């Protein structure tokens, strides 16, 4: 019964991951083509979150052709900020170092995840390679979390903070530390350690037999 | 190994508390602004009440899942890894995450119907994958528990 449910669950995860991968690829394609459309390469897209100055109010009003008025608020906007030498240097160094490492890690972690699910589906659960795979995913997610925060930090502190950009009725959300990826990373780290305990238990059991 | 596990448990519990409190502080702020009358909450809108109830259910589902996760992690921290309570708790977390994924998919779908600019797929794949993964972990725990029970019997 248990092994059957594990098989079904792992097949479901594999199928959904493939669908999500396809969705992600489409998003990547869209992003690539929109980035290609920027004529001036010295302009960098910075995503900014806006909060109404009075929380949960709708600061703006849209007037329709039939004189109806619809209040609204802007949540996120993308600014085309002109970059300077300091920003180009920083982003150049970060991009040069992180892009290949990032890609390599994402492929490695993705493969590890697929192999982990495949082995679980084949009933090879408490094995050393699964512990290693879960640790790889944990480290990759930690690095992704760090990189995400570094990118957001560079954009905010070098381009936005001293730019005097303001929107009447809104306040610009400052740099917010994104901890969700770290949370996931730690969860995978915890599972890795639990799997390590399972492997030890299994090895002891095999020795006893 | 034990020290790694304890450190991870401690940091995870801290992050859980931060995530839960930041989520609920937002909701409390909304309640305060609504009470003060500064929040835009047009009660004449037909779907306002339904949307508020759905979001409240979703928020409470996540809150309970978070609290259950804190309980599991504290049990693991105490060295109680392969025990029946953890399997039950993980199963409940999986079910709650599944409910959250369905609710957020429904909210996204309604948003997509109402807006012409909504891009992408409204279905919350990540939430469903997380729910199934947690359910799978529960089953893996069950195997670990069976192994532990067999070993205890042998000893």
């Amino acid at each position: 019964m248990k092994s059957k449910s594990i098989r079904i669950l792992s097949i479901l995860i594999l199928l959904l991951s493939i669908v999500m991968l396809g969705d992600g690829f489409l998003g990547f394609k869209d992003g690539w083509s929109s980035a290609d459309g920027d004529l001036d390469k010295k302009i960098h897209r910075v995503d900014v979150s806006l909060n109404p100055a009075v929380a949960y109010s709708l600061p703006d009003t849209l007037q329709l052709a039939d004189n109806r008025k619809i209040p609204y608020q802007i949540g996120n906007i993308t600014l085309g900020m002109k970059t300077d030498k300091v920003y180009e240097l920083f982003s150049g160094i970060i991009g040069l170092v992180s892009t290949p490492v990032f890609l390599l890690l994402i492929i490695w972690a993705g493969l590890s995840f697929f192999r982990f699910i495949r082995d679980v589906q084949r009933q090879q659960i408490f094995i050393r390679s699964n512990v290693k795979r879960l640790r790889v995913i944990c480290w990759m997610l930690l690095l992704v979390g760090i990189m995400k925060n570094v990118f957001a930090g560079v954009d905010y502190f070098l381009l936005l903070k001293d730019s005097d950009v303001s929107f009447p009725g809104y306040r610009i959300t400052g740099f917010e530390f994104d901890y969700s990826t770290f949370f996931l990373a730690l969860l995978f780290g915890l599972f890795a350690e639990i799997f390590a305990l399972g492997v030890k238990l299994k090895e002891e059991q095999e020795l006893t037999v | 190994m034990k020290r790694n596990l304890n450190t991870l448990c401690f940091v995870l519990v801290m992050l859980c508390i931060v995530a839960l409190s930041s989520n609920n502080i937002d909701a409390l702020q909304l309640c305060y602004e609504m009470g003060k009358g500064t929040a835009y909450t047009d009660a004449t809108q037909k779907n306002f009440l339904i949307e508020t109830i759905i979001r409240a259910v979703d928020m409470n589902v996540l809150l309970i899942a978070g609290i259950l996760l804190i309980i599991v992690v504290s049990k693991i921290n105490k060295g109680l890894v392969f025990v029946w309570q953890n399997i039950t708790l993980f199963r409940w977390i999986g079910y709650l995450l599944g409910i959250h994924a369905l609710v957020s998919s429904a909210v996204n779908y309604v948003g997509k119907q109402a807006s012409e600019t909504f891009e992408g797929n409204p279905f919350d794949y990540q939430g469903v994958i997380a729910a199934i993964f947690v359910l799978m972990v529960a089953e893996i725990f069950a195997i670990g528990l069976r192994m532990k029970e067999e070993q205890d019997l042998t000893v």
Side-chain angles (χ1 to χ4, degrees):
Chain A
M1 179 66 196
K2 290 244 152 34
S3 59
K4 203 175 159 189
S5 55
I6 284 189
R7 274 189 185 176
I8 295 168
L9 290 170
S10 40
I11 288 170
L12 273 174
I13 290 185
L14 279 178
L15 285 177
L16 281 170
S17 305
I18 290 166
V19 175
M20 208 176 81
L21 218 65
D23 244 26
F25 180 73
L26 286 177
F28 177 76
K29 219 177 102 185
D30 285 350
W32 187 270
S33 50
S34 73
D36 227 23
D38 288 342
L39 293 172
D40 191 349
K41 295 290 176 197
K42 297 256 178 204
I43 286 195
H44 178 66
R45 288 166 173 262
V46 183
D47 293 323
V48 183
S49 300
L50 297 177
N51 275 330
V54 177
Y56 296 103
S57 62
L58 297 171
D60 296 312
T61 310
L62 182 74
Q63 184 143 13
L64 301 180
D66 57 358
N67 276 340
R68 270 189 303 142
K69 285 179 179 174
I70 300 176
Y72 70 94
Q73 83 160 78
I74 304 168
N76 295 296
I77 51 160
T78 304
L79 296 172
M81 301 291 286
K82 263 211 158 25
T83 55
D84 57 7
K85 292 258 181 250
V86 182
Y87 177 83
E88 278 162 27
L89 184 74
F90 266 99
S91 64
I93 292 169
I94 293 170
L96 205 71
V97 176
S98 69
T99 311
V101 178
F102 219 55
L103 264 174
L104 196 81
L105 279 171
I106 285 175
I107 293 168
W108 191 13
L111 284 175
S112 298
F113 185 71
F114 278 112
R115 281 183 187 151
F116 168 75
I117 300 288
R118 186 200 61 192
D119 276 356
V120 169
Q121 205 245 340
R122 287 177 184 169
Q123 304 297 306
Q124 293 171 334
I125 297 170
F126 292 116
I127 50 173
R128 281 189 186 276
S129 48
N130 275 349
V131 179
K132 206 178 128 191
R133 283 168 194 157
L134 286 172
R135 282 190 183 140
V136 165
I137 296 171
C138 166
W139 282 110
M140 195 281 295
L141 284 171
L142 277 178
L143 274 170
V144 168
I146 292 168
M147 293 315 297
K148 260 165 91 173
N149 281 299
V150 167
F151 281 132
V154 165
D155 276 0
Y156 178 72
F157 289 107
L158 293 182
L159 286 181
L160 208 63
K161 202 179 170 209
D162 303 319
S163 65
D164 296 330
V165 174
S166 66
F167 296 86
Y170 292 95
R171 59 186 166 77
I172 293 176
T173 313
F175 171 67
E176 279 182 351
F177 188 78
D178 172 42
Y179 54 81
S180 57
T181 320
F182 292 107
F183 181 75
L184 256 182
L186 290 173
L187 215 55
F188 272 98
L190 183 74
F191 289 148
E193 294 309 314
I194 290 167
F195 265 70
L197 276 178
V199 171
K200 217 173 93 180
L201 209 73
K202 199 181 160 218
E203 282 171 355
E204 276 171 17
Q205 197 189 35
E206 279 166 0
L207 277 175
T208 321
V209 174
Chain B
M1 196 187 285
K2 182 90 172 68
R3 221 175 65 183
N4 278 354
L5 205 65
N6 288 351
T7 317
L8 281 168
C9 288
F10 176 75
V11 183
L12 254 178
V13 168
M14 287 299 128
L15 274 179
C16 256
I17 292 168
V18 170
L20 287 178
S21 42
S22 75
N23 243 355
N24 288 295
I25 282 168
D26 274 359
L28 285 176
Q29 196 188 2
L30 174 61
C31 291
Y32 173 71
E33 299 294 342
M34 278 169 81
K36 223 169 78 176
T38 46
Y40 177 82
T41 50
D42 189 353
T44 55
Q45 273 181 322
K46 275 181 199 164
N47 57 352
F48 173 72
L49 191 67
I50 300 167
E51 207 181 305
T52 310
I53 290 171
I54 292 173
R55 283 187 192 278
V57 169
D58 190 34
M59 208 183 76
N60 284 304
V61 161
L62 280 183
L63 179 74
I64 298 166
I67 292 170
L68 292 184
L69 186 67
I70 290 177
I71 297 171
V72 173
V73 175
S74 359
K75 275 190 184 295
I76 292 171
N77 195 28
K78 284 175 193 160
L80 299 166
V81 182
F82 295 117
V83 290
W84 270 115
Q85 287 127 311
N86 282 353
I87 297 165
T88 319
L89 286 168
F90 265 123
R91 278 187 188 148
W92 272 105
I93 295 172
Y95 298 145
L96 290 170
L97 286 179
I99 294 170
H100 162 70
L102 290 179
V103 171
S104 67
S105 299
V107 169
N108 286 346
Y109 182 75
V110 172
K112 190 175 183 169
Q113 295 295 313
S115 144
E116 286 171 13
T117 52
F118 189 102
E119 278 179 17
N121 199 329
F123 190 69
D124 186 4
Y125 289 112
Q126 286 176 0
V128 178
I129 291 177
I132 298 174
F133 188 75
V134 171
L135 285 174
M136 199 178 82
V137 167
E139 299 308 320
I140 289 169
F141 263 68
I143 291 174
L145 176 70
R146 211 170 56 196
M147 238 160 57
K148 198 180 157 244
E149 280 174 351
E150 275 170 20
Q151 201 196 29
D152 288 346
L153 279 174
T154 320
V155 174

